[in-house]
Structure formats: structure tokens, C-alpha cells
Amino acid sequence: MYNFTTPDKLLMGSNIVAQATNIFNGLGKHALIVTGPHVGKSTMIATLERTLDRDRVKYTVLENISGEPTVAMIEHGVQVYADAGCDFIIGLGGGSPLDAAKAIAAMTVLPGSIADYKGVEIDDPLPPIACVPTTSGTGSEVTRYTIITDEESGVKMLLSGKSLLPKVAMVDFTFANGCSPQITAATGLDALTHAIEAFISVNAQPLSDALALSAIKRIFRYLPTAYRNGSDNNARRELAIAATQAGICINNSSVTLVHGMSRPLGALFHVPHGLSNAMILHTCLDDMEMAARHNLARIANYLRIHAVDEIDASEKFVQEIDALLNKLEVPTLSEFGIDEKEYMSAIPRMTLDAIASGSPSHAPREYTADDIASLYRKAYK
């Protein structure tokens, strides 16, 4: 049996935040807007505030989500929520504010620290959550997941539960127009990783397969365009659709090896999430190629990559991934500035954290600690 879920409302289009009517006032009377310092000073939050004013919804702005969210940020957000008398939450920004919004919502109800809920299914009734992404990558607006960094342990915690799935996802195609080429590439490759991993996951299902293929095709076609010309509205539109499609895919079919290995890499060496996925994507896909051959060949055929047989198609798709990474100028781990000696000494810990995340268990073949450690070494070189 397949179980396929999405937010209660999924709204997509150009300038829809400005046009939204009676959406947010259906969630509550006083919103906590969770965002970052850049978006907090942008026209995007001004647009959202005008919409809330029009619908007579009070709001308090929390703009301290600088970088990927931490336990301390979540605790501060919970305090602001309580002090202001808020009754629902809006996440506005990239993946970090959206993840923070979910975690803050959870901790307005749950006892203890957010760190206590690693590996625990969060099903308790929470304040309503609305998510408005400003990048085209994480798909957090349509998933039941949030990633929070525990500063004490240095671990990026993957938290999940049906209660974390937003009530409303509002994808405004115009909101990603100001993204730099580097952010465009990293977020787009994050979405690509989501779609590919969901398609080759042992939990793949027919509905997510269809969305994954569509997302992959859009990203291959439009990500290089948006990288070269960030003001190309059509490319931005297509990437926003693709990122949401890919988010729905992982919400229903999960990620696999790449995400499992990238989270420890990001936590220990402060590599942004999308970039850490991109840095190891080719290495991981090359290793999974034989086990995932049939599905990788299906992707190649969908992209109309000419091949003589299934083996050729699968291998050529992996080559196309490498070519795309080069086209988008994704740095290697050493080019990013990660010291080789420090990196190699961290491999045992990263390996354990990757396995503990559970994500590699969804890969098309079994991965041991030795396998993952070997891939970390290969990825650096």
C-alpha cells in the first residue's frame, strides 16, 4: 500500500503572496514570521506583511535564523512566540527559516528540548504552519521533515512527523529572483538530489516517480539558465515547480545515501546543505550506479540521452551529473577550504552519524560503515 501526502493547501504562481486572500486568517489571529536577516529586510517580507494587514492578522517578526537553524535559535523562537501571544507560524525564506518554523511550532507544545526528539515521530497537535520559500531547493514547504543542528553534539538532527507537514505551502515564483548564482546552483542541485534519491529509493512509489522525473527534467533544462541569468523569469518559475515536486517526492519516498553522508559533512565543516549534497552527489551516484541501474536508465531515457542499452544509459546519466556539476562550478571539498588531514580524521565520526540518520538504509543496496568511510575518502580526492 502506498501512502501519499501533501500539505492541506499548496498554492503556486507569480505574485501569489500579494494576491492571497483569506488564507492566513484561516490559520489564526497572530502569526510569528520566522525568517532570516536578509529576507527580513526585503520586499518579500513587506509583501507578506501587507497581505497580513489586509486580512487583519497580527504578526511578530523573528529574523534571527542566520545560517542553518540551531537548538538555541529554536529555543529563542519559542520564547518570542509565547511572549507575543502568537497562535500560528509562517516560515519565510530558504530551507533554514522553513525548518526553524516547523521546529518552533513543535516546541511550543512539546516538553524539553528539540534535541530530545531526534528519531522520535512527532505526531502531537501543533500550531498551524505556513511555509513560503524564497529559494528553489529544499522543498521544506511540502515535507514532514526539519533539520536542526545540535551545537553541543555537532550533529545535524533529522526530525520528522506528520505534524511537521505545513498546513499551507505558498510557492511564489517571483521570490527566488534575487538569488545569487551560487545559491541558485546549490539549491537547484539540492532539489535535483531529492528527485534522484526519491526515484532510486527502496520506498519509491508511482506518484512520486512521476513527479521526480518531471523535476529532474526541469532542473537539467533550466538550472544552467538561471545560474547564468538570475532574472530569467521562466527559468525561475520552472525551478520553483521542480523544487516543490522534488520536496513532495522525498516526503513520500525518502532520501538515501547522499543526504545521509552530506549532513555530517555540513555539520562539522559548515558547508551549506545544498552545496554539501552537490559535492558528493557524483561520488555517491557512481557507487550506486549498478544497484540503481534500471532506474537511472529510466531517467536517462526520460531525458532522451542516447544510449545503446540499459548499462550505457545508466552510466551516461551519471556522466551527465558530473558535467552539470562542472557547468555550475561546484567546488571540490578541498577547493571549499576543508583541510584534508582534519577531514580524514573526521571520517569515522561522519560515518557513524550518516548511518545513524537512517537515510542510507533507503538506498538501493546495503551500505556498511566501511563502505561509507571509503566513499568519504573518495569524495575528497
Side-chain angles (χ1 to χ4, degrees):
M1 181 181 76
Y2 300 117
N3 183 20
F4 191 86
T5 59
T6 61
D8 291 350
K9 284 184 182 294
L10 173 54
L11 303 158
M12 305 181 77
S14 297
N15 301 308
I16 59 168
V17 173
Q19 299 165 13
T21 302
N22 296 326
I23 299 296
F24 296 113
N25 58 11
L27 301 178
K29 297 180 179 180
H30 191 150
L32 176 68
I33 302 175
V34 180
T35 190
H38 173 69
V39 175
K41 296 176 177 62
S42 70
T43 57
M44 292 177 284
I45 195 165
T47 300
L48 175 60
E49 289 172 346
R50 284 193 297 270
T51 297
L52 294 171
D53 288 336
R54 188 181 62 228
D55 286 350
R56 297 182 180 179
V57 176
K58 295 180 180 179
Y59 53 86
T60 298
V61 179
L62 173 71
E63 55 179 64
N64 74 322
I65 311 302
S66 55
E68 296 180 354
T70 64
V71 172
M73 291 180 191
I74 303 310
E75 291 174 348
H76 176 65
V78 172
Q79 189 63 54
V80 173
Y81 179 95
D83 291 344
C86 300
D87 57 3
F88 75 102
I89 296 179
I90 301 173
L92 173 68
S96 294
L98 304 192
D99 280 357
K102 297 178 185 181
I104 291 169
M107 297 316 298
T108 63
V109 172
L110 301 174
S113 166
I114 189 71
D116 300 332
Y117 295 91
K118 180 185 176 184
V120 177
E121 189 76 5
I122 300 174
D123 291 339
D124 305 67
L126 304 181
I129 305 165
C131 284
V132 185
T134 62
T135 61
S136 300
T138 70
S140 185
E141 70 276 5
V142 290
T143 74
R144 62 200 296 273
Y145 305 111
T146 182
I147 299 175
I148 307 297
T149 299
D150 184 346
E151 309 99 302
E152 291 189 9
S153 65
V155 172
K156 277 190 177 182
M157 304 177 295
L158 174 63
L159 309 169
S160 66
K162 63 182 182 182
S163 297
L164 297 176
L165 184 64
K167 293 290 184 186
V168 174
M170 191 175 290
V171 182
D172 194 316
F173 299 151
T174 64
F175 272 20
N177 283 354
C179 288
S180 68
Q182 292 76 22
I183 292 176
T184 297
T187 53
L189 290 168
D190 189 20
L192 179 63
T193 305
H194 290 161
I196 294 171
E197 289 203 278
F199 195 76
I200 65 175
S201 164
V202 295
N203 301 316
Q205 53 173 294
L207 286 178
S208 61
D209 280 356
L211 290 173
L213 288 172
S214 178
I216 292 167
K217 188 172 185 176
R218 280 187 161 94
I219 293 166
F220 261 88
R221 181 172 180 179
Y222 293 103
L223 181 54
T225 300
Y227 179 71
R228 293 191 306 268
N229 178 12
S231 60
D232 187 309
N233 291 330
N234 187 54
R236 290 296 188 189
R237 174 185 182 275
E238 294 300 316
L239 290 177
I241 294 170
T244 301
Q245 289 176 317
I248 294 172
C249 290
I250 61 169
N251 189 56
N252 291 281
S253 298
S254 77
V255 291
T256 68
L257 178 66
V258 184
H259 274 73
M261 290 181 60
S262 75
R263 291 190 203 103
L265 179 63
L268 292 181
F269 296 102
H270 308 293
V271 185
H273 176 68
L275 184 57
S276 64
N277 280 329
M279 286 174 165
I280 63 172
L281 176 59
H282 180 262
T283 299
C284 291
L285 276 184
D286 187 56
D287 192 78
M288 290 189 285
E289 187 273 324
M290 186 176 295
R293 178 166 289 164
H294 176 67
N295 285 329
L296 294 178
R298 287 172 63 197
I299 297 173
N301 291 334
Y302 191 78
L303 296 179
R304 298 185 179 180
I305 297 171
H306 177 72
V308 296
D309 56 23
E310 185 172 271
I311 296 174
D312 189 37
S314 177
E315 291 178 346
K316 281 185 174 176
F317 175 68
V318 176
Q319 292 169 11
E320 287 295 324
I321 290 291
D322 192 39
L324 180 62
L325 296 172
N326 288 327
K327 189 181 297 184
L328 299 174
E329 301 175 286
V330 174
T332 64
L333 293 164
S334 60
E335 288 170 347
F336 185 76
I338 298 175
D339 178 75
E340 182 174 7
K341 184 176 181 180
E342 185 180 357
Y343 175 87
M344 294 300 173
S345 67
I347 286 177
R349 177 180 174 180
M350 291 195 295
T351 297
L352 292 176
D353 288 347
I355 293 172
S357 75
S359 296
S361 66
H362 306 304
R365 76 168 181 86
E366 183 178 349
Y367 277 88
T368 66
D370 286 343
D371 293 332
I372 292 175
S374 177
L375 285 174
Y376 272 128
R377 287 190 289 270
K378 183 177 179 181
Y380 191 91
K381 297 180 180 180

